[in-house]
């Protein structure tokens, strides 16, 4: 009934399950299937081919519009959420109040598995869903309120969980151009406890902190934060030289390069880019490691240094066929579109913008970087470019 390539039904099931605060194991057992079966359905890797199972899912998830739910199984796309609804003043106010609320204001708020949902589900949706912005906006207020209760509880492990919740919030907010709120979120995550005791997790949140600082034009401070993350990971690498730690070390080094490029220090930027390469190449001969984030940071560094052609050539050499993260793909194509626009190649830039939109259908609508780039391209005296851009802006409700 639904093909493995259809994104509507699987995403709808995942969203409804999370709203009901159900784990995959619980929902799967209630419909007589395994958690692995449900995981594959939610990630659009297998079909739901029985009407009885669909009806049972609708019943358990308390679907109001059963006909619409079943229509998704026939291949119809999930309807788009207009930005006027998803980013309504009420939604923005709820996120702000949840983030800035008093630490002691936790009466009536519980935190049933918020950390588990963020780690196992929310990050997965953010990286893989075409409508990740709409989803994130729908869960952020409750997620942040539950995190306050988590902080008040003070159980072992809660500091790391609290930090991860706020790192997720900061990642969403910074992509939406809410730099100041993102800074508040990531600083609250850092203040949750002794980040030094969180090993790699502490370095990850430091890298996120540096990215938010850089987005807010604090390049000097961002460079220091990235270096601190690299030092934590270097100590970890003395006992664990696996790909995961090396990829994080390379990410920290290449992020430092981006910050140095933002400071117009080409020598330091190149030095850190070379260090990132050496980290990835310096392990055991039989353990080849790569880092998608390091590739993206290299492109960012080139663009900030005005090296647009090297950025474009690197992109052309990057095989993104195996990259499943819509978040990464959207950022990749937006960066390439910027390099192409600055290289006076507007047709190529529009094509890259369309690739970003294909990776994440809400990217141009919710990410201000996409909208700004579209406005820059409209200045080019090219009828083809303008026609494509007008259609894109109208499609995303930006006209």
């Amino acid at each position: 009934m639904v093909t493995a390539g259809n994104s509507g039904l699987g995403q709808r099931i995942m969203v409804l399950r999370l709203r009901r605060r159900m784990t995959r194991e619980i929902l799967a057992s209630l419909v007589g299937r395994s958690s692995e079966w449900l995981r594959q359905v939610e990630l659009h890797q297998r079909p739901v081919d029985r009407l009885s199972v669909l009806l049972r899912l609708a019943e358990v998830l308390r679907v109001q519009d059963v006909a619409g739910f079943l229509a998704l199984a026939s291949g119809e796309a999930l309807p788009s959420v207009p930005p006027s609804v998803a980013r309504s003043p009420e939604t923005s106010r709820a996120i702000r109040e949840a983030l800035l609320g008093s630490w002691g204001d936790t009466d009536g708020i519980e935190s049933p598995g918020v950390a588990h949902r963020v780690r196992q589900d929310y990050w997965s949706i953010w990286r893989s869903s075409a409508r990740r912005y709409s989803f994130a906006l729908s869960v952020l207020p409750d997620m942040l309120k539950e995190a306050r209760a988590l902080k008040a509880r003070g159980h072992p492990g809660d500091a790391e969980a609290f930090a991860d919740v706020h790192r997720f919030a900061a990642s969403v907010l910074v992509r939406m151009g809410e730099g100041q709120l993102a800074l508040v979120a990531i600083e609250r995550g850092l203040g949750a406890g002794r980040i030094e005791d969180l090993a790699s997790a502490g370095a990850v949140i430091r890298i996120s902190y540096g990215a938010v600082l850089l987005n807010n034009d604090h390049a000097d401070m961002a460079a220091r934060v990235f270096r601190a993350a690299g030092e934590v990971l270097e100590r970890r690498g003395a006992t664990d030289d696996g790909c995961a730690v090396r990829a994080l070390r390379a990410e920290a080094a290449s992020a430092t390069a981006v910050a140095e490029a933002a400071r117009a220090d080409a020598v330091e930027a190149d030095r850190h880019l070379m260090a990132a390469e050496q980290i990835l190449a310096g392990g055991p001969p039989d353990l080849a490691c790569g880092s998608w984030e390091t590739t993206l940071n290299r492109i960012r560094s080139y663009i900030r240094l005005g090296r647009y052609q090297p950025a474009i050539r690197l992109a052309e050499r990057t095989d993104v066929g195996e990259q499943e993260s819509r978040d990464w793909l959207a950022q990749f194509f937006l960066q390439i579109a910027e390099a192409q626009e600055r290289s006076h190649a507007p047709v190529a830039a529009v094509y890259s913008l369309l690739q970003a939109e294909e990776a994440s259908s809400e990217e141009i609508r919710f990410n201000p970087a996409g909208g700004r780039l579209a406005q820059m391209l409209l200045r080019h005296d090219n009828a083809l470019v303008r026609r494509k851009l007008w259609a894109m802006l109208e499609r995303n409700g930006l006209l």
Side-chain angles (χ1 to χ4, degrees):
M1 299 186 71
V2 58
T3 64
N6 186 307
S7 63
L9 181 66
Q11 181 180 336
R12 183 64 171 163
I13 290 171
M14 184 182 287
V15 169
L16 289 170
R17 174 176 65 79
L18 291 172
R19 285 180 180 172
R20 304 287 181 241
R21 297 182 178 177
M22 299 171 70
T23 65
R24 281 195 181 121
E25 290 76 11
I26 290 175
L27 178 57
S29 67
L30 290 173
V31 299
R33 291 292 187 270
S34 68
S35 59
E36 176 59 18
W37 175 89
L38 182 57
R39 185 189 72 82
Q40 292 177 10
V41 168
E42 290 184 341
L43 297 178
H44 331 306
Q45 295 172 356
R46 71 175 300 157
V48 180
D49 51 12
R50 289 177 178 271
L51 179 60
S52 60
V53 176
L54 280 168
L55 291 172
R56 178 60 178 158
L57 281 166
E59 178 185 6
V60 172
L61 294 171
R62 301 200 295 276
V63 175
Q64 299 295 320
D65 181 12
V66 177
F69 183 76
L70 296 179
L72 291 174
S74 65
E76 294 182 17
L78 197 62
S80 178
V81 177
S84 59
V85 175
R87 292 194 70 175
S88 65
E90 292 77 13
T91 302
S92 299
R93 184 161 51 255
I95 292 173
R96 185 178 295 273
E97 289 176 354
L99 182 60
L100 302 178
S102 167
W103 292 111
D105 184 18
T106 59
D107 291 343
I109 301 175
E110 298 180 355
S111 56
V114 61
H116 174 82
R117 294 201 308 280
V118 169
R119 291 170 182 168
Q120 301 300 319
D121 295 314
Y122 292 180
W123 278 116
S124 175
I125 294 174
W126 177 248
R127 290 168 179 144
S128 65
S129 173
R131 296 186 57 216
R132 57 209 184 94
Y133 287 95
S134 293
F135 172 79
L137 284 166
S138 72
V139 301
L140 273 176
D142 287 344
M143 182 191 77
L144 290 166
K145 288 178 183 177
E146 290 178 28
R148 292 215 308 274
L150 193 73
K151 177 72 164 57
R153 190 177 66 173
H155 289 182
D158 281 354
E160 184 174 349
F162 185 90
D164 204 35
V165 166
H166 283 76
R167 184 169 72 89
F168 175 81
S171 297
V172 174
L173 291 166
V174 78
R175 197 80 79 248
M176 295 176 62
E178 298 285 356
Q180 293 301 314
L181 280 181
L183 194 57
V184 171
I186 202 70
E187 286 183 340
R188 285 209 159 181
L190 281 165
R194 286 184 55 80
I195 295 300
E196 292 80 1
D197 296 338
L198 302 183
S200 294
V204 169
I205 196 169
R206 273 198 178 97
I207 291 173
S208 297
Y209 182 39
V212 174
L213 287 170
L214 192 56
N215 182 266
N216 281 276
D217 298 322
H218 300 306
D220 289 344
M221 191 180 301
R224 291 195 294 272
V225 170
F226 288 137
R227 288 195 192 94
E231 291 168 2
V232 171
L233 290 163
E234 187 174 3
R235 291 194 294 271
R236 175 72 183 274
T239 57
D240 181 358
D241 197 32
C243 267
V245 173
R246 283 166 57 197
L248 278 174
R249 288 178 61 199
E251 181 181 347
S254 61
T256 307
V258 180
E260 296 294 354
R263 298 175 62 242
D265 191 334
V267 173
E268 279 298 295
D270 287 338
R271 185 172 73 84
H272 285 285
L273 287 176
M274 186 174 296
E277 281 190 1
Q278 292 171 344
I279 289 167
L280 292 174
D286 60 340
L287 190 61
C289 295
S291 170
W292 291 104
E293 290 302 321
T294 297
T295 299
L296 195 56
N297 283 335
R298 180 177 290 277
I299 292 172
R300 290 181 177 124
S301 297
Y302 287 161
I303 292 173
R304 286 181 179 268
L305 291 171
R307 301 172 183 172
Y308 307 125
Q309 289 304 318
I312 293 169
R313 287 196 295 270
L314 176 56
E316 290 172 346
R317 296 195 305 269
T318 303
D319 183 4
V320 300
E322 296 183 359
Q323 175 57 262
E324 297 180 353
S325 170
R326 292 179 182 270
D327 177 43
W328 189 92
L329 286 170
Q331 292 181 71
F332 174 79
F333 286 116
L334 284 176
Q335 292 295 317
I336 299 313
E338 180 179 352
Q340 290 164 332
E341 193 279 333
R342 293 180 182 276
S343 296
H344 308 290
V347 175
V350 169
Y351 176 75
S352 294
L353 267 185
L354 290 170
Q355 292 286 94
E357 186 185 33
E358 181 179 341
S360 175
S361 61
E362 297 182 331
E363 199 67 31
I364 308 302
R365 180 183 307 174
F366 286 99
N367 187 338
R372 283 196 300 269
L373 190 52
Q375 295 295 330
M376 290 168 62
L377 285 165
L378 280 173
R379 299 172 189 165
H380 289 266
D381 187 17
N382 186 309
L384 175 62
V385 166
R386 288 180 176 175
R387 186 165 62 250
K388 292 287 187 182
L389 285 172
W390 282 120
M392 177 190 294
L393 293 171
E394 185 175 14
R395 191 164 55 244
N396 285 280
L398 297 177
L399 288 180

